[in-house]
Amino acid sequence: AERRSDGEGAQAGDPGGALPAPGERPSEGFGALEEGGGEAEGPGGEEDGEGLGGLAERQAEIAGAIPGLSERLGRSADAARQALEEASHDPLTGIRNRCALQHLLPREVSLAQREGRQLALSVLDLDHFKDFNDRYGHSFGDEVLKTVAQVTASCIRSSDLLFRLGGEEFVLVSAHEQRDGGRDLAERVR
């Protein structure tokens, strides 16, 4: 049986052809099994594979590599968690930052709507903070910002979210059963 010889195949038995003719044994370039179960020799006369012994060695090599891969994956996951934490938290105060607010606010709005709760968003701004910073220095101003964040965090519930927008501005997001809950919380923080 002949094949097309116009680039779509080759003559039967031609070692350069893409496939053997029906009923014909594959040529040596295909790595077919020889009669008796061994692999056919490759074009250079050597065996294409190592047989079952080579497979067992390869399996042992892979099994030996798994603990190292597992450890590297664990380190990568830890590094990813740390990077996410750093990207979503203010380095000075340790509370969530503007990026986290942009990410979490839509979720909080959706959750409040689903649960039929009131969602309050309170903006906290430290009056005359720039003048304070100029008069007492930025290091002391940083300590004030840390203290404001700590005191505010101690006044809110664990379900409330506190963010630092930047500078002396903070945002508090809180869900409440009653309409005045957000105002009451803001007064308590003040």
Side-chain angles (χ1 to χ4, degrees):
E2 287 197 359
R3 294 256 174 125
R4 294 171 45 176
S5 58
D6 59 359
E8 295 289 324
Q11 301 287 331
D14 180 3
L19 295 173
E24 187 177 50
R25 286 179 45 124
S27 69
E28 61 188 30
F30 289 93
L33 292 177
E34 292 182 353
E35 291 179 24
E39 289 188 10
E41 289 184 355
E46 62 260 347
E47 289 190 7
D48 285 338
E50 298 176 15
L52 294 179
L55 178 61
E57 288 174 15
R58 184 70 178 137
Q59 285 177 328
E61 181 182 329
I62 291 170
I66 290 175
L69 290 173
S70 179
E71 181 182 331
R72 287 195 340 225
L73 284 174
R75 285 194 310 259
S76 294
D78 290 344
R81 275 190 291 278
Q82 182 178 353
L84 183 59
E85 179 77 15
E86 290 172 3
S88 63
H89 284 74
D90 176 54
L92 177 65
T93 62
I95 63 175
R96 291 177 183 92
N97 61 17
R98 177 188 296 263
C99 181
L101 174 64
Q102 292 171 333
H103 177 74
L104 294 174
L105 187 58
R107 182 192 76 178
E108 292 299 311
V109 168
S110 178
L111 184 61
Q113 288 173 339
R114 204 169 40 247
E115 294 178 348
R117 300 176 77 184
Q118 303 293 316
L119 189 68
L121 189 138
S122 305
V123 177
L124 315 171
D125 182 79
L126 305 181
D127 292 337
H128 312 290
F129 187 73
K130 182 182 180 328
D131 296 335
F132 181 89
N133 239 358
D134 291 343
R135 183 171 185 177
Y136 297 104
H138 291 280
S139 294
F140 192 65
D142 287 351
E143 292 304 315
V144 169
L145 291 172
K146 289 181 202 177
T147 302
V148 167
Q150 291 168 353
V151 169
T152 304
S154 71
C155 294
I156 63 176
R157 304 167 297 178
S158 61
S159 59
D160 299 332
L161 301 174
L162 179 61
F163 305 89
R164 180 175 178 212
L165 285 185
E168 75 280 4
E169 295 178 327
F170 297 84
V171 171
L172 177 59
V173 177
S174 55
H176 302 277
E177 298 296 329
Q178 300 178 357
R179 188 172 191 81
D180 294 337
R183 186 183 61 202
D184 294 344
L185 178 60
E187 286 299 323
R188 188 168 67 235
V189 167
R190 185 170 25 170

